[in-house]
Amino acid sequence: AEKFAALMEAEEWEKAAHFAATSPSQELRTRETVVAFQAAKATDGGKPPVLRYFGALLALKGGLTHDEGVALATPMVAQGQLPLLQRWIGEGRLRPSEQLADVLCDAERGGPAAALPMYREAGVDEKATLCLVETGDLEALREESRKEDPASKPDWLALLGRLCAAR
């Protein structure tokens, strides 16, 4: 932690990113590290430090942690980079979760369709059904309405209310 702090203080962004990404037992791969890189400003005219950190993480074989994935996805969705995120999810570099699906769902084009499989994997049936409504997939909605298990059947009234409130 001391070496990482010294590298950050010296604005050695590339070295700090590599050091944090490869830290033993992933001890530096925390939300605080992401926030530190987000707050750092590139003084050398190069890539922002946070992008250097995510680059170092993506170069590793294991993929990103939950917090790292959500932190990376948020600005990428805002920049319209949904296809690249979907590729990384498919490659296992980002871990599917409800929070990541929430970020994807906000994408201007294709967000609900991209979030749908993640909501299903996370067992968030109501949000998955809302994605079906937003994508206009009436056949899949019909199948949802025919589910036998009452626990997995959506609360249609609540969903309709949420949809109306969102519009």
Side-chain angles (χ1 to χ4, degrees):
E2 289 176 22
K3 183 175 179 179
F4 172 70
L7 290 169
M8 292 293 283
E9 182 71 30
E11 297 182 0
E12 294 282 342
W13 310 127
E14 213 66 48
K15 290 179 183 176
H18 179 72
F19 186 79
T22 59
S23 63
S25 304
Q26 298 185 345
E27 63 191 31
L28 290 175
R29 292 186 59 186
T30 63
R31 183 175 297 218
E32 290 77 19
T33 299
V34 172
V35 169
F37 276 107
Q38 287 172 329
K41 303 292 180 221
T43 54
D44 59 2
K47 284 193 295 187
V50 71
L51 291 183
R52 295 176 195 213
Y53 179 57
F54 287 135
L57 292 172
L58 289 167
L60 300 174
K61 288 185 179 183
L64 278 64
T65 66
H66 168 73
D67 288 336
E68 293 163 347
V70 171
L72 174 62
T74 302
M76 289 188 71
V77 164
Q79 296 170 6
Q81 297 294 322
L82 184 60
L84 183 56
L85 283 171
Q86 288 177 295
R87 189 180 93 209
W88 288 341
I89 292 164
E91 293 171 352
R93 293 180 180 194
L94 299 175
R95 292 183 178 93
S97 69
E98 180 180 358
Q99 292 81 9
L100 184 56
D102 289 343
V103 172
L104 295 182
C105 202
D106 289 339
E108 205 167 291
R109 288 190 178 150
L116 177 61
M118 272 195 217
Y119 284 135
R120 284 192 168 146
E121 188 174 325
V124 188
D125 294 330
E126 232 175 73
K127 287 184 178 181
T129 303
L130 194 55
C131 285
L132 291 173
V133 170
E134 290 182 22
T135 60
D137 192 341
L138 299 179
E139 187 58 39
L141 277 169
R142 189 173 323 164
E143 292 302 315
E144 286 285 315
S145 70
R146 292 182 179 152
K147 283 186 177 178
E148 297 290 326
D149 181 12
S152 67
K153 221 174 196 178
D155 179 350
W156 293 104
L157 226 48
L159 280 172
L160 185 59
R162 285 181 61 192
L163 185 61
C164 290
R167 302 278 179 219

